[in-house]
Amino acid sequence: MKSLLFSITLLYSCLIFTNPQRAVAEDSSSAIVSRFQQYLQIDTAQPNPHYYEVADFLLSQAKSIGLESQSIEFVKGKPLVLLKWAGAIPSLPSILLYSHTDVVPVEQDKWDYPAFGAQLDSNGNIYARGSQDMKCVGMQYLEAIRRLKSSGYQPLRSIYVAFAPDEEIGGHDGAEKFADSDIFNSMNVGVVLDEGLASPTEHYRPFYAERSPWWLVIKAVGAPGHGARLYDNSAMENLLKSIESVRRFRASQFDLVKAGLKAEGEVISVNMVFLKAGIPSPTGFVMNLQPSEAEAGFDIRVPPIADPESLERRIAEEWAPASRNMTFQFKQKASVYDKSGRALLTKTDSSNPWWTLLEGAVRKANGKLGKPEIFPAATDSRYFRLLGLPAIGFSPMANTPILLHDHNEFLNQAEYLKGIDIYESIIKDYASYAEHPSSEGAKDEL
């Protein structure tokens, strides 16, 4: 009896692995969605992402597709997975499909489903942290390549797929070190695709630039005083004057957005993120003593079309003037210029063949592309634009509410599958582009 059961089991196993219908099933919609769910179920939330678990998963996917792969640690404990599909003409500049593996933390009690359960509801929505930001894009790259390889397509240009750590905390141990490495230099990258945003409309949102983060701390000092005394130039009074000046500037920028005169990414945003003052006591704060120091922190985002020198003068002369016993420092101050002194933006006209190819590829896949925008926050694209490379932010999620970093983040499976069609078209057109302009001319054009 045991021998018979063993024979039946062996026969069943052979049918599974040799039946062509089984192979087709691996590329079915349910199998594709299942692989996406597996990726989402790996907890990569900061501050303790399961990086090695996700690296193992991605390396196994690369093996199943037939891609070259390596795991690189520029910083111990933070692997960057780099995959390669070699092109027929390796001298042509390569295509880099970039994504990050880490996600932001979760307040689980605010979610309807487990944040790393990848629950598929009756409407086809897949709920998980990272479903929009940006595990969807990473897996869509792989699924599009899987299809292209299965069809027998051979790219002219080499295609790299990078899964980097650390983006949600600045990308300093991931993309920044990667872009500055000999490994990256040897890849001869010609264009980078990175993340974008979901679109509530039927038009996909492409991004040609992003706002640079300036994290500013303003400090005021003054003589301590009795809580009942009125006098000029106390630390708190001077700081409150600065806060009011910042508030007025913020309102002027926000009014441009509300009036429809500028998009959110085109204005300088300023938000106060902390206020620190007062003398602590066992029951809270001393109530009859005016503090001698007070600080406020601001998250400022500066678009590459703004005048950063003018903003710096405003900070020094209006927001933190030395005449009011005030100082300021930047916790982070990213440049709006590349290493050649040009604004950190990618052209979106006919002078940039990658932009033209993107437009055509989306159209061929029956997608609709919206007006190019400046990304309102920061992404890892900036590290590649700093090198003078064209980088386009693009996440094919139409008819989808923007839920990046929000509770109950989800992506509908139909939109996810449609996004694979879009990337298949883009990757094929990019990797088939045969022109090879000179290195100097290319950077000027792009």
Side-chain angles (χ1 to χ4, degrees), residues 343-361:
L344 283 174
L345 51 83
T346 297
K347 291 186 178 181
T348 57
D349 56 31
S350 59
S351 69
N352 179 0
W354 304 112
W355 174 256
T356 305
L357 288 168
L358 180 78
E359 287 183 309

Side-chain angles (χ1 to χ4, degrees), residues 43-47 103-111 113-116 128-130 405-409:
D43 183 350
T44 54
Q46 294 289 357
V103 299
V104 294
V106 172
E107 294 178 75
Q108 184 56 67
D109 61 322
K110 307 290 176 55
W111 284 59
Y113 301 100
F116 295 99
R129 176 60 88 221
H405 298 198
D406 206 339
H407 308 312
N408 290 316
E409 181 182 351

Side-chain angles (χ1 to χ4, degrees), residues 149-260:
K149 283 184 71 72
S150 296
S151 73
Y153 171 75
Q154 175 61 50
L156 296 181
R157 297 173 183 266
S158 292
I159 299 168
Y160 289 93
V161 190
F163 294 84
D166 214 38
E167 191 273 346
E168 296 294 359
I169 55 173
H172 303 296
D173 291 338
E176 185 173 17
K177 286 184 169 56
F178 177 45
D180 194 41
S181 69
D182 291 337
I183 292 173
F184 184 81
N185 188 54
S186 70
M187 291 162 55
N188 187 27
V189 172
V191 65
V192 180
L193 285 183
D194 192 10
E195 65 183 316
L197 288 173
S199 170
T201 75
E202 62 180 350
H203 290 85
Y204 297 124
R205 302 175 68 184
F207 298 90
Y208 67 98
E210 63 186 54
R211 295 193 293 192
S212 298
W214 289 16
W215 292 348
L216 175 70
V217 176
I218 294 176
K219 182 176 182 178
V221 298
H226 194 287
R229 183 184 174 192
L230 296 174
Y231 64 97
D232 291 322
N233 294 317
S234 71
M236 285 295 286
E237 180 194 26
N238 284 335
L239 184 62
L240 288 173
K241 288 179 181 178
S242 292
I243 292 172
E244 176 56 24
S245 181
V246 172
R247 188 203 64 78
R248 288 195 301 268
F249 176 82
R250 179 186 187 276
S252 71
Q253 296 290 292
F254 201 8
D255 284 345
L256 295 173
V257 177
K258 291 176 179 177

Side-chain angles (χ1 to χ4, degrees), residues 22 206 215 270 350 392:
R22 174 69 179 181
W215 292 348
V270 189
S350 59
I392 299 172

Side-chain angles (χ1 to χ4, degrees), residues 361-415:
V362 171
R363 192 164 49 247
K364 281 192 286 188
N366 299 315
K368 296 181 180 181
L369 203 61
K371 177 183 176 182
E373 303 176 55
I374 297 175
F375 198 87
T379 72
D380 281 343
S381 291
R382 66 187 186 274
Y383 297 117
F384 306 112
R385 291 196 186 103
L386 279 168
L387 301 176
L389 291 171
I392 299 172
F394 181 73
S395 295
M397 297 181 284
N399 305 303
T400 302
I402 303 170
L403 296 171
L404 289 82
H405 298 198
D406 206 339
H407 308 312
N408 290 316
E409 181 182 351
F410 75 82
L411 178 61
N412 188 272
Q413 65 175 349
E415 284 298 325

Side-chain angles (χ1 to χ4, degrees), residues 421-432:
D421 297 338
I422 298 292
Y423 273 126
E424 183 178 2
S425 181
I426 294 171
I427 294 169
K428 187 172 184 179
D429 280 10
Y430 270 25
S432 300

